[in-house]
Amino acid sequence: MCFVDTPGLGSVFESNSAATHAFLPHIDAAVAVIGADPPIAGDELELVETISKQVQDILFVLNKADRVTEEQRAAAIFFARQVLENRLQHPVPFIFEISALEQIKKGGSQRDWDRLVASLEQLVERSGQQLVWKASARSLHRLSGQLLAVIKRNVMLSVGPLKILRSESAKRERLCRKRCNL
């Protein structure tokens, strides 16, 4: 399993959002990391919806759980779950509460860190071969689409001059017949 941390969305640098969207065809599963304040932004919600149409496995993580109170975390999770379930039209069974900072500083088991790691391990065990197969199928579909586009372009490039040659030839033939009174 390979993790790729995309630059995210909503940056003042449009290339960051473009890089994230460009990478979407290559994903097999997703870990959607949201903050506690605000829990989920409109562009993040739109991205999750796009991803959900492509992949079956999306894990939701509320990061920076150490920066808000228990009540604020609960409210953030309630709000995020409600918004996600409404948009995705299916239940979001769990949103992991973690603090990457706590994990780095203290190590060990804080909040839902171990549960997140266990879920990722289960994903690999349960879906590993299936993920590889789906990734291969998506790549084949994407490459065949690109190949088809190249073929269509080459046909148009070859047919265009041929049409011009036929048209010029027909003009010359008409001119010749006219001059020769045929």
Side-chain angles (χ1 to χ4, degrees):
M1 181 181 295
C2 228
F3 284 97
V4 177
D5 184 7
T6 61
L9 303 172
S11 171
V12 293
F13 302 107
E14 288 183 23
S15 61
N16 287 355
S17 295
T20 297
H21 286 285
F23 196 76
L24 292 182
H26 306 284
I27 65 171
D28 302 306
V31 177
V33 180
I34 58 177
D37 185 28
I40 189 162
D43 50 359
E44 293 170 326
L45 185 60
E46 187 177 315
L47 180 65
V48 167
E49 182 180 26
T50 300
I51 290 169
S52 73
K53 293 175 183 172
Q54 179 179 320
V55 301
Q56 183 178 355
D57 296 298
I58 303 177
L59 301 177
F60 295 97
V61 175
L62 179 84
N63 193 19
K64 301 181 183 177
D66 59 315
R67 294 190 178 178
V68 293
T69 66
E70 182 64 37
E71 294 79 26
Q72 290 170 323
R73 275 194 310 279
I77 287 176
F78 178 80
F79 176 79
R81 179 177 283 119
Q82 197 173 33
V83 169
L84 288 164
E85 288 178 349
N86 184 44
R87 181 66 75 96
L88 302 178
Q89 296 297 302
H90 65 76
V92 173
F94 195 76
I95 299 177
F96 299 92
E97 294 179 36
I98 68 164
S99 167
L101 185 61
E102 283 179 349
Q103 187 64 26
I104 290 168
K105 284 184 176 181
K106 297 177 185 174
S109 173
Q110 286 84 39
R111 304 183 193 275
D112 293 326
W113 187 266
D114 288 342
R115 192 169 178 181
L116 173 61
V117 171
S119 292
L120 291 169
E121 289 171 346
Q122 287 173 352
L123 176 63
V124 169
E125 289 173 21
R126 183 185 79 240
S127 306
Q129 194 171 19
Q130 181 183 12
L131 291 176
V132 170
W133 194 92
K134 285 181 178 180
S136 298
R138 273 197 322 276
S139 293
L140 181 61
H141 179 68
R142 188 176 58 254
L143 289 174
S144 63
Q146 291 171 347
L147 181 59
L148 185 59
V150 168
I151 290 170
K152 284 180 179 179
R153 187 192 65 181
N154 287 345
V155 166
M156 292 306 296
L157 289 174
S158 62
V159 169
L162 185 59
K163 285 182 180 178
I164 293 170
L165 286 173
R166 285 184 181 155
S167 174
E168 291 297 319
S169 177
K171 285 180 189 176
R172 288 189 180 112
E173 186 178 331
R174 283 192 301 274
L175 183 61
C176 184
R177 286 182 186 206
K178 192 175 182 180
R179 287 186 180 166
C180 297
N181 286 330
L182 295 177

